[in-house]
Amino acid sequence: MAQPPEVTGTVVVLAGGVGGAKLAHGFAQLGLGHRLAIIVNTADDFELYGLTISPDLDTVMYTLAGIANPATGWGILGDTANTLAMLGRYGRPTWFWLGDRDLATHILRTERLHQGARLTEVISELAGALGVAARILPMCDEPVRTIVHTPVGDLPFQEYFVRRRQQDPVLGVRFDGIEHARPTPEVERALEEAEIVVLAPSNPIVSIGPLLALPGFRERLRHATVPIVAVSPIVGGRALKGPADRMLASLGHEVSPLGVARLYQDFLDGLVIDVQDTALADALRNMGIEPYVTDAVMHDESDRARLARETLDFARRLHGVTR
Ligand code: FO1
């Protein structure tokens, strides 16, 4: 493991699913321990067979615990699907692949929520049991659900994403329940302690978007006195993973780091972009956003740690900037 960097405060990472989990894992590899707080999107959550499923929280948890399936980025390495097969025999839908081991997580989460525990407490218990030192923080404890507007109608997020394989053009999104949700006290505390805030290379619309839509959250970033940097999820005109490129295009945004920067422009100090996008550096500077050019694609675990380290060093150099 690399030498722990001298961190005076907390490194706060805003994350969605697989891309966010990879960068968070990079920071975890730097040995930050409890001084790493990952604020995770919960608007992809949904209910299936009476269970509450939190895909992004679990993806971050499994990745940091070292048990994620590297082939998919989500789910547990070596998991089996006997329960799912039996559910299929009972005639229940099986389009969402739930592994046998993964189901234990959903069973316990649902049990604890029924007992009155907050989602924040539940994930803390589960992640603690898996030996994760970092703080994995749901963005809120209230249920928020992403609904995707498409030509075939309004689709709950996982119906759009998994069941219909992101085939539908996205005309808009809304986050049901967001007006009643609030950042948790644990999220507030992490932001108060933050030395830097990093937006992971997650989908800006449906992964980071719900966090920014939480009442008060965006304002908080705008008024932050610590550096806020993002890692672009768009490289060479394409999304690193998932439908972010098509979604940005169909919603009228430029499919480039510039398009991403514009979505974050009111609070962002710096953007990490890939060498393929070097030509955009000046345009970013002209927007008042400092670019940092590197190999921004995480192919393996050492790439994650390298990119995290470079992002941390870059953000520190921005310290003292004024927005
Ligand atoms: N993504 C898929 O594309 N297909 C699946 O069947 C699927 C199952 C699944 C089960 C548990 C889990 O935690 C995540 C799962 N994901 C699956 C990923 C997940 O739905 C998406 O990656 C996120 O919601 C987007 O960030």
Side-chain angles (χ1 to χ4, degrees):
M1 185 181 285
Q3 277 293 98
E6 284 169 28
V7 175
T8 51
T10 293
V11 172
V12 174
V13 178
L14 312 186
V18 176
K22 284 184 180 174
L23 188 66
H25 185 222
F27 281 106
Q29 287 181 67
L30 301 183
L32 298 170
H34 205 62
R35 285 166 306 140
L36 172 61
I38 308 138
I39 305 177
V40 182
N41 172 39
T42 55
D44 291 8
D45 293 15
F46 72 123
E47 287 72 33
L48 193 60
Y49 322 122
L51 301 174
T52 301
I53 321 272
S54 299
D56 287 1
L57 280 173
D58 292 348
T59 297
V60 171
M61 178 172 76
Y62 295 151
T63 303
L64 266 60
I67 61 170
N69 180 348
T72 55
W74 48 265
I76 297 176
L77 176 65
D79 212 350
T80 49
N82 296 311
T83 312
L84 196 67
M86 196 64 193
L87 286 161
R89 283 194 64 183
Y90 284 126
R92 305 304 293 269
T94 56
W95 52 267
F96 198 78
W97 201 94
L98 285 177
D100 296 319
R101 292 178 202 168
D102 185 34
L103 271 161
T105 306
H106 313 309
I107 291 168
L108 291 182
R109 171 168 34 238
T110 306
E111 179 192 52
R112 293 290 290 123
L113 290 173
H114 282 163
Q115 288 168 350
R118 297 185 297 129
L119 187 58
T120 302
E121 295 168 320
V122 177
I123 198 75
S124 167
E125 291 163 10
L126 296 173
L130 294 181
V132 175
R135 285 177 264 166
I136 302 176
L137 305 176
M139 63 182 200
C140 59
D141 286 320
E142 302 84 356
V144 175
R145 301 291 181 258
T146 296
I147 305 293
V148 183
H149 309 309
T150 76
V152 297
D154 289 358
L155 301 173
F157 182 77
Q158 298 297 346
E159 297 255 348
Y160 156 78
F161 194 93
V162 176
R163 188 174 204 169
R164 295 181 61 81
R165 297 166 195 270
Q166 311 134 41
Q167 63 181 299
D168 307 288
V170 175
L171 308 175
V173 296
R174 70 167 196 269
F175 308 122
D176 279 358
I178 197 87
E179 65 278 14
H180 303 299
R182 293 291 176 273
T184 64
E186 289 81 359
V187 164
E188 296 280 2
R189 195 177 137 210
L191 290 171
E192 268 159 32
E193 296 170 353
E195 183 199 346
I196 66 163
V197 178
V198 181
L199 282 76
S202 301
N203 186 317
I205 309 290
V206 289
S207 294
I208 302 294
L211 276 77
L212 300 178
L214 263 184
F217 197 95
R218 191 169 195 126
E219 284 297 301
R220 213 178 158 117
L221 294 185
R222 274 191 200 136
H223 296 120
T225 54
V226 296
I228 304 180
V229 299
V231 177
S232 178
I234 303 290
V235 169
R238 300 194 56 184
L240 289 170
K241 196 173 192 306
D245 43 11
R246 283 169 285 140
M247 216 180 257
L248 285 170
S250 69
L251 293 175
H253 303 288
E254 188 176 313
V255 186
S256 80
L258 281 183
V260 175
R262 286 190 192 113
L263 289 167
Y264 301 151
Q265 190 171 7
D266 53 323
F267 57 79
L268 198 68
D269 299 307
L271 184 64
V272 177
I273 61 174
D274 190 76
V275 283
Q276 291 179 55
D277 294 312
T278 308
L280 301 174
D282 282 343
L284 284 168
R285 252 181 231 110
N286 290 339
M287 287 171 67
I289 293 172
E290 190 59 29
Y292 175 75
V293 183
T294 186
D295 176 3
V297 184
M298 293 174 278
H299 300 285
D300 54 30
E301 294 201 357
S302 65
D303 273 341
R304 299 176 187 179
R306 174 194 51 78
L307 188 58
R309 174 105 231 176
E310 287 183 41
T311 302
L312 185 58
D313 292 344
F314 167 54
R316 284 195 172 140
R317 288 196 298 276
L318 295 177
H319 192 73
V321 289
T322 48
R323 266 186 292 280

